[in-house]
Amino acid sequence: MHPFLDHPGPLAFAHRGGDLGRPENSFAAFEAAVALGYRYLETDVHATRDGVLVAFHDSRLDRVTDSSGAVAELPWDTVRKARIGGTEPVPLLEDLLDAFPGARFNIDVKAAQAVGPLVEAVRRTDAWDRVCVGGFSDGRLAAVRAAAGPRLATSLGPREVARLRLRSLAGPLLRGRGTPFAGICAQVPERHRGVPVVDRAFVRAAHRLGLQVHVWTVDDPVRIGALLDLGVDGIMADHIDVLRDVLGERGCWTDGSTGSSTETGAP
């Protein structure tokens, strides 16, 4: 098992730092999540025109900051002046890795331009064991794997997820067949374009192959409970207080800020 996954019980991810009244993907949001006890933080990365890697979801500044323009077309000196929600600066990924050494980061690489700077940031901070890279592009993930090697954890790309879903539907007919999967986990929505992705068969197929299943983004406590009952290994949420409460009620919340656990056995 990759060290990124070394954690008792289901993994709880603070999606973009979580929504506790702080702007998404801001230092303040990640700080609040860590204070709440979160050990797993989810974020996204883009590179500026001059190759500076920022933790930011959109390709443009317009939606969440007081500035405008495409991140990839702007120099860092311009992007650094933008304020998320009008108050918070756009953080560098490297600064987040340094600021929260006890946290693990699930990182969605949003553009090909960010691949090289991302691998270099992981190398400079020696964060190999606490980073998992995902993305909605098989090409970008292949580039990350080629640049970083097997030491860096990655999730499955879209084609790999589709292949895993087909295996789950085929059942025993495809057991032990086909090429191996390059990632350590499948990070998927419950449904894609109205078609179910996560069910008991999908989870079982992943587990047979040594893969974890992490589901995004789930904020409803009933759905969180249902997914845990299916055996999923992790959940990403915006309402991180809700996710924490559900895991706590089931006795499987581990407080990353103190190392203490409320785990009392299987739910």
Side-chain angles (χ1 to χ4, degrees):
M1 181 174 65
H2 192 279
F4 180 85
L5 301 176
D6 183 14
H7 181 80
L11 310 186
F13 294 86
H15 184 245
R16 302 183 199 173
D19 183 4
L20 292 179
R22 282 77 167 179
E24 68 174 54
N25 273 328
S26 66
F27 187 93
F30 296 116
E31 189 173 45
V34 170
L36 193 62
Y38 272 76
R39 187 179 181 184
Y40 287 82
L41 308 175
E42 190 274 346
T43 191
D44 318 88
V45 290
H46 283 278
T48 63
R49 188 178 70 195
D50 43 353
V52 177
L53 192 70
V54 295
F56 198 77
H57 177 270
D58 297 3
S59 62
R60 299 182 60 86
L61 297 173
D62 305 51
R63 179 179 66 89
V64 297
T65 80
D66 56 5
S67 299
S68 62
V71 175
E73 297 173 0
L74 299 171
W76 168 236
D77 278 348
T78 298
V79 174
R80 74 191 305 170
K81 297 173 185 175
R83 290 295 179 267
I84 310 169
T87 59
E88 299 292 330
V90 176
L92 301 179
L93 178 71
E94 199 161 332
D95 287 349
L96 293 176
L97 290 170
D98 285 336
F100 306 108
R104 295 172 185 177
F105 284 81
N106 203 90
I107 302 170
D108 185 350
V109 58
K110 288 293 188 181
Q113 185 174 333
V115 169
L118 171 57
V119 174
E120 284 305 309
V122 174
R123 182 176 291 117
R124 282 194 298 267
T125 56
D126 194 28
W128 301 102
D129 291 347
R130 58 192 187 97
V131 165
C132 179
V133 177
F136 297 97
S137 164
D138 296 288
R140 288 197 296 272
L141 283 174
V144 168
R145 291 163 182 162
R151 190 176 178 187
L152 181 61
T154 59
S155 62
L156 304 190
R159 291 180 183 173
E160 292 175 306
V161 169
R163 185 156 58 92
L164 176 60
R165 183 55 175 153
L166 288 174
R167 288 177 70 104
S168 74
L169 295 173
L173 294 176
L174 287 180
R175 284 188 189 176
R177 299 182 184 180
T179 57
F181 292 85
I184 64 169
C185 55
Q187 297 183 332
V188 293
E190 285 189 84
R191 305 175 70 88
H192 179 64
R193 297 180 179 176
V195 178
V197 175
V198 182
D199 57 18
R200 196 171 300 278
F202 183 85
V203 174
R204 286 175 174 170
H207 288 173
R208 282 197 299 267
L209 293 164
L211 301 169
Q212 288 199 2
V213 176
H214 306 153
V215 186
W216 49 264
T217 304
V218 190
D219 293 315
D220 178 67
V222 174
R223 294 307 311 149
I224 292 172
L227 289 166
L228 293 172
D229 289 340
L230 286 179
V232 304
D233 305 282
I235 293 177
M236 300 185 189
D238 290 320
H239 298 166
I240 56 177
D241 51 345
V242 173
L243 177 56
R244 183 181 189 270
D245 288 345
V246 173
L247 291 172
E249 289 168 1
R250 288 172 167 253
C252 52
W253 169 260
T254 300
D255 190 334
S257 66
T258 64
S260 63
S261 174
T262 61
E263 189 166 0
T264 58

